[in-house]
Amino acid sequence: RIEKREAFRVVGVSAPMEAEIEKNFEIVPSLWAQASTDGTLPQLAGMMDSDPKGILGICACYEEENWRYWIAAASTQAAPAQMQQLEIPAFTWAVFPGSGPCPESIQTLEQRIVREWLPTSGYEYADGPDIEVYLTPNLADARFEVWIPVKKSSSTG
């Protein structure tokens, strides 16, 4: 579905991303492992009070100098001392539902979006974050959505 959303705020933890993509395949799972063992995930679940509802995995790689991966929740509450906040700008989002074991299922869906949907959709990537919305806590059989920021394609076919 295509959905227009006003800006919203998230609260969570983040780690710097590397320009070398392979390194991020270590950084991101490590951040998730830490968040799932140190009490961060239940704390975020308790702070969730805005849409999108779910634990969010946000790839904020649109500012050239400051690439970060976030594990967060949409919240109007103040960020606790060990967390930060991030403002997600207003965008038009292409939202894709999915299910299955993660991270494999979500990575497969993301590849299909880029390879199959985007080239024929009449949309192109807007300069904004990609968001994974985890709707269920069980990653072995997860329900999730992938949100990508889009704008009408400038090229006409």
Side-chain angles (χ1 to χ4, degrees), residues 1 3 5 8-10 44-58 72-77 95 131-137 143-147:
R1 69 182 186 273
E3 189 174 305
R5 293 202 49 119
F8 60 95
R9 187 173 151 278
V10 300
L44 287 173
M47 295 180 69
M48 190 186 320
D49 64 10
S50 316
D51 287 329
K53 294 280 197 293
I55 298 296
L56 310 176
I58 303 170
S75 181
T76 58
Q77 298 176 37
V95 180
I131 302 176
E132 302 161 351
V133 181
Y134 293 93
L135 303 169
T136 55
R143 285 191 320 104
F144 52 83
E145 293 178 337
V146 173
W147 291 40

Side-chain angles (χ1 to χ4, degrees), residues 12-149:
V13 295
S14 69
M17 298 279 281
E18 299 287 334
E20 189 180 318
I21 300 296
E22 289 301 316
K23 290 185 180 176
N24 297 326
F25 289 119
E26 298 168 16
I27 293 168
V28 172
S30 173
L31 187 62
W32 278 102
Q34 181 181 339
S36 64
T37 58
D38 68 5
T40 297
L41 292 180
Q43 188 174 9
L44 287 173
M47 295 180 69
M48 190 186 320
D49 64 10
S50 316
D51 287 329
K53 294 280 197 293
I55 298 296
L56 310 176
I58 303 170
C59 185
C61 300
Y62 53 97
E63 294 174 355
E64 196 121 342
E65 303 297 312
N66 189 21
W67 286 13
R68 296 191 79 77
Y69 184 86
W70 289 74
I71 299 173
S75 181
T76 58
Q77 298 176 37
Q82 75 280 17
M83 295 186 189
Q84 304 99 25
Q85 64 185 33
L86 174 68
E87 186 79 15
I88 304 291
F91 276 109
T92 298
W93 300 90
V95 180
F96 301 87
S99 62
C102 286
E104 302 82 11
S105 295
I106 207 156
Q107 290 168 350
T108 300
L109 178 58
E110 288 168 345
Q111 289 171 351
R112 289 189 62 207
I113 292 166
V114 172
R115 292 182 183 149
E116 298 172 24
W117 182 81
L118 207 51
T120 61
S121 66
Y123 288 92
E124 59 189 47
Y125 254 106
D127 194 20
D130 290 4
I131 302 176
E132 302 161 351
V133 181
Y134 293 93
L135 303 169
T136 55
N138 177 6
L139 291 183
D141 186 24
R143 285 191 320 104
F144 52 83
E145 293 178 337
V146 173
W147 291 40
I148 62 167

